[in-house]
Amino acid sequence: NKTAEVGRIRYVIIPDSSAAKAALLSGNIDLDYDVLTENIAELKTRKELILESAPSMDKQAILFQTRNSLLKDPRMRRAIALSLDVPELVSAVTTDTAQASRSILSVASGLHKAAQAAVPKRDLVQARRLLAAAGYRGQPIKLLTTKRFDSLYGIAVMAQAMAQEAGIRLEIEVLEWATLLDRYNKGDYQAMAFAFSARLDPALAFEMIAGDKDKQPRKVWDAPDALDQVARLSRVTDAQAYQALLDQLEAGLRDQVPAVFLYSSVTTSAARKNVKGYRSWVFGEARLWGVSVTKP
């Protein structure tokens, strides 16, 4: 139902999160469609507010440059993945709001099945074996991140501490967001904490990471079999065959580890009680169809 129930909408840009919270509590704004995680507990105690949460279709991940002299060995990438306690990392970074997921498909997707739901356990013993087999001697691995988004910085800090327990030396380099994005587009990194915006179609979710690096350096995964499978996604019409292909891609992604996907963020809105019918949704943006506002 795309009915517009409100005749006039006033958007207020409030860069400071504390000021935004104060505006909501004072009634100067009726809705904050994406409140900061650290404010959720406090806002839940306010009787004049209604909080609503929904998992988004975005993805938070650690990317690897598979053409790097050190990380081109898949055993190195598998070792880093095994050094991570993904549920613990996600719990810490999101303050227990998001669900750990190693899949490129969001938990909000109807195609997120058993193969996608499996979260491998941390295994430091196997990680060390893989490192030894790959000939790793403690060389530093630069992990790029930014403080523009707290989640990406938190991912880097947690990953560094966890990897260190396996003997992996991750060195964090903090960049401005624009610089990080430029390095991503150029493929100019060893490892990077990064976030992808929402894709509803699984074919588009895989397309955002899979491709020819010579033509598109930003691509993470360029294995020929993966590229063939991604291309087939747009041609398969049978639901069972489509899910089977998704499961094959999932298995390949976890085996070759061009990236470690961690979770999809949860969007939480806070609205004053005079706002009726607002719901958070998978794109993480404000959708105001069917939403009405009464006088406070």
Side-chain angles (χ1 to χ4, degrees), residues 37-38 60 86-98 149-159 262-263:
T37 301
E38 56 263 35
Q60 320 292 316
V86 175
E88 183 181 337
L89 183 153
V90 174
S91 173
V93 171
T94 71
T95 323
D96 291 322
T97 59
F149 302 102
D150 291 342
S151 59
L152 297 185
Y153 183 69
I155 286 169
V157 171
M158 292 293 294
L262 301 166
Y263 68 95

Side-chain angles (χ1 to χ4, degrees), residues 72-261:
K72 66 181 180 181
D73 190 329
R75 293 172 297 187
M76 281 296 304
R77 306 193 298 269
R78 290 186 198 119
I80 296 172
L82 285 171
S83 75
L84 304 179
D85 186 328
V86 175
E88 183 181 337
L89 183 153
V90 174
S91 173
V93 171
T94 71
T95 323
D96 291 322
T97 59
Q99 177 182 335
S101 172
R102 280 287 309 275
S103 176
I104 194 173
L105 298 186
S106 166
V107 295
S109 170
L111 297 165
H112 191 275
K113 305 292 187 182
Q116 291 73 28
V119 178
K121 290 184 178 179
R122 188 187 197 199
D123 191 337
L124 294 178
V125 173
Q126 179 62 11
R128 294 187 186 105
R129 286 175 183 158
L130 288 169
L131 292 172
Y136 179 64
R137 300 281 190 277
Q139 303 95 310
I141 299 170
K142 193 77 72 175
L143 175 59
L144 305 186
T145 189
T146 181
K147 289 188 176 180
R148 170 65 178 81
F149 302 102
D150 291 342
S151 59
L152 297 185
Y153 183 69
I155 286 169
V157 171
M158 292 293 294
Q160 180 188 47
M162 291 177 174
Q164 187 174 10
E165 293 183 56
I168 302 168
R169 187 179 165 195
L170 296 182
E171 293 185 349
I172 295 175
E173 182 177 350
V174 180
L175 303 175
E176 294 294 327
W177 168 243
T179 305
L180 186 77
L181 190 59
D182 181 63
R183 296 280 292 271
Y184 161 74
N185 283 319
K186 292 177 179 176
D188 181 16
Y189 59 89
Q190 284 184 288
M192 175 183 290
F194 199 71
F196 293 99
S197 57
R199 266 78 165 175
L200 294 186
D201 187 338
L204 293 179
F206 278 102
E207 188 278 335
M208 71 187 178
I209 66 163
D212 186 342
K213 290 190 177 191
D214 290 325
K215 296 179 179 178
Q216 295 178 292
R218 66 183 174 85
K219 298 297 187 178
V220 178
W221 197 17
D222 61 354
D225 56 340
L227 301 187
D228 177 65
Q229 290 169 349
V230 172
R232 286 165 52 201
L233 277 177
S234 61
R235 302 193 298 268
V236 174
T237 56
D238 178 76
Q240 221 171 7
Y242 191 82
Q243 186 68 54
L245 190 52
L246 288 179
D247 293 351
Q248 289 177 37
L249 278 162
E250 188 73 42
L253 187 61
R254 296 182 185 216
D255 178 61
Q256 297 172 32
V257 202
V260 180
F261 289 92

